Amino acid sequence: MEESDRVARRWEDLDIDILVKIFQSFDIIELTSGIATVCTSWRMACCDPLLWRTLDLSMMKSNFIKIPLEPYVYVDARSDKTLNHLLKTSLSLSQGNIMTLIFHFNLYVSDDLLTYTAERCPRLRRLVMPAWNRIKKTGICKAIRIWQDLKSLTMPSIANPPYLLEEIANNCKNFSELKVMGPFDNFFAATIITYLPKIRVLSLRCSMLVKDTLISILDELRNLEVLNISHCLLIEIPPPPAPRRIMRELDQCVLDKASRLREFLTCMKDSCIMCQRTRNDEGLMRWYKYEEGVWKADEVSSLSL
């Protein structure tokens, strides 16, 4: 065959479906590195909804130092710049198709960036929140009003939960799953009972939990189907002057009340590494001390990352 008779096939002529299949093997850094600017076909492939059902930023942590004044962290400007570029590029390519958004718990997202994100992924159904430090009440409430399809939320514990849960109750009619990472007291439980009485799945793993709070959850959340208290530091507070004590096993009262649940997930074994860590950290898990990614685990399959 003569050299002049050969037809060279160009990359931009490659079938879009094949390009999408190739791009599905890329991580978020590679997807946002500029391949969408190669040609029209590559940009079309980069914007395919199959690539953007989930935006997983759980590998990204802010470079920060703690400070004594609000927001109690100072984030390096380069770290903010990297996050801004990656997130804004992802949101542009996703064209509003993101259903699941996952932040690292040590990623300090600004209020403005959270609002920007909410406006560009209005169909969000599952959210794994970053640290609260730089997110104000107005910012998260504005985002929740946009995310009316939200069904599942994983969040660090918050000192004043009523305003957040009330906003979810008023705007997210299909909301059904909540995971709280950190302290969970009777006030938090009472807030859930007040604003989210129809919640079906609740995970409190690796937290400190008072027995009376657990009983309130079991008594009042009548629609609850799945409760995860694996590796919790369970505390019983008897009447004064008796001191509080750590429960080593669940008593029959709790087991009877939990028997109506479809799943009641527990682990209180002395031999369990995660149980040991919760006790050593006194019910406030310091995830940064442990292997990367361990914070993403959950015994509830729909909440595991």
Side-chain angles (χ1 to χ4, degrees):
M1 181 182 292
E2 295 291 333
E3 187 72 25
S4 58
D5 293 334
R6 293 178 181 175
V7 177
R9 191 171 185 187
R10 300 174 301 176
W11 274 104
E12 58 264 36
D13 295 331
L14 197 61
D15 188 83
I16 295 291
D17 291 339
I18 296 176
L19 282 171
V20 171
K21 192 69 175 177
I22 294 170
F23 293 165
Q24 282 181 306
S25 67
F26 289 11
D27 62 28
I28 189 63
I29 305 297
E30 293 167 332
L31 272 178
T32 57
S33 63
I35 60 174
T37 63
V38 170
C39 63
T40 302
S41 296
W42 283 39
R43 181 167 184 85
M44 287 176 62
C46 283
C47 294
D48 192 284
L50 285 174
L51 300 177
W52 298 106
R53 288 174 181 167
T54 297
L55 177 55
D56 186 354
L57 302 179
S58 62
M59 82 298 291
M60 290 195 68
K61 294 185 290 185
S62 296
N63 184 18
F64 70 96
I65 57 172
K66 293 184 178 181
I67 57 176
L69 302 175
E70 287 191 20
Y72 305 111
V73 291
Y74 171 78
V75 180
D76 177 68
R78 288 173 297 179
S79 182
D80 267 346
K81 184 177 180 180
T82 299
L83 173 61
N84 270 271
H85 170 75
L86 190 148
L87 189 51
K88 290 183 177 182
T89 302
S90 298
L91 293 170
S92 174
L93 294 173
S94 69
Q95 298 184 344
N97 287 303
I98 295 170
M99 301 289 190
T100 297
L101 178 57
I102 304 169
F103 291 109
H104 193 285
F105 73 97
N106 261 349
L107 189 63
Y108 294 94
V109 177
S110 69
D111 219 32
D112 290 342
L113 190 57
L114 183 69
T115 300
Y116 182 93
T117 301
E119 291 171 345
R120 286 157 181 81
C121 52
R123 301 166 60 199
L124 198 70
R125 294 182 181 178
R126 184 183 182 194
L127 173 64
V128 178
M129 281 287 295
W132 286 108
N133 298 57
R134 301 168 76 191
I135 298 173
K136 300 181 179 66
K137 176 180 176 179
T138 52
I140 186 59
C141 286
K142 184 175 181 179
I144 293 297
R145 292 184 198 117
I146 295 171
W147 287 326
Q148 295 189 8
D149 292 332
L150 192 68
K151 293 182 177 180
S152 176
L153 175 64
T154 295
M155 56 176 275
S157 189
I158 187 171
N160 185 27
Y163 76 82
L164 174 62
L165 299 194
E166 183 178 11
E167 204 68 55
I168 291 173
N170 290 337
N171 294 281
C172 309
K173 301 307 179 184
N174 296 318
F175 190 82
S176 60
E177 290 188 342
L178 178 63
K179 177 178 179 179
V180 181
M181 299 176 63
F184 186 86
D185 56 17
N186 198 53
F187 178 51
F188 209 137
T191 304
I192 292 177
I193 291 166
T194 299
Y195 294 109
L196 302 175
K198 295 183 179 180
I199 194 169
R200 295 200 299 270
V201 178
L202 179 61
S203 178
L204 308 172
R205 73 187 306 268
C206 301
S207 301
M208 180 185 288
L209 185 61
V210 175
K211 177 186 173 183
D212 288 346
T213 302
L214 175 58
I215 289 176
S216 294
I217 291 170
L218 293 170
D219 282 344
E220 302 297 333
L221 294 177
R222 302 308 300 175
N223 289 82
L224 195 65
E225 299 174 8
V226 179
L227 176 60
N228 185 11
I229 61 166
S230 298
H231 324 302
C232 279
L233 184 63
L234 193 59
I235 305 294
E236 185 172 27
I237 305 177
R244 72 179 191 173
R245 70 179 187 88
I246 297 175
M247 297 177 64
R248 296 294 180 178
E249 60 181 10
L250 295 171
D251 59 27
Q252 196 58 45
C253 171
V254 172
L255 293 174
D256 288 344
K257 290 177 181 294
S259 62
R260 67 175 179 83
L261 300 175
R262 177 165 55 83
E263 286 186 88
F264 183 43
L265 301 161
T266 68
C267 180
M268 302 171 69
K269 299 175 183 176
D270 289 337
S271 59
C272 172
I273 293 176
M274 293 306 296
C275 289
Q276 293 172 15
R277 289 171 172 175
T278 307
R279 285 197 293 271
N280 292 338
D281 288 346
E282 299 180 333
L284 179 57
M285 287 291 281
R286 292 163 176 83
W287 297 103
Y288 61 84
K289 297 194 305 183
Y290 307 119
E291 56 268 29
E292 182 61 37
V294 69
W295 65 275
K296 295 195 258 183
D298 200 286
E299 290 71 21
V300 180
S301 58
S302 62
L303 291 172
S304 181
L305 305 177

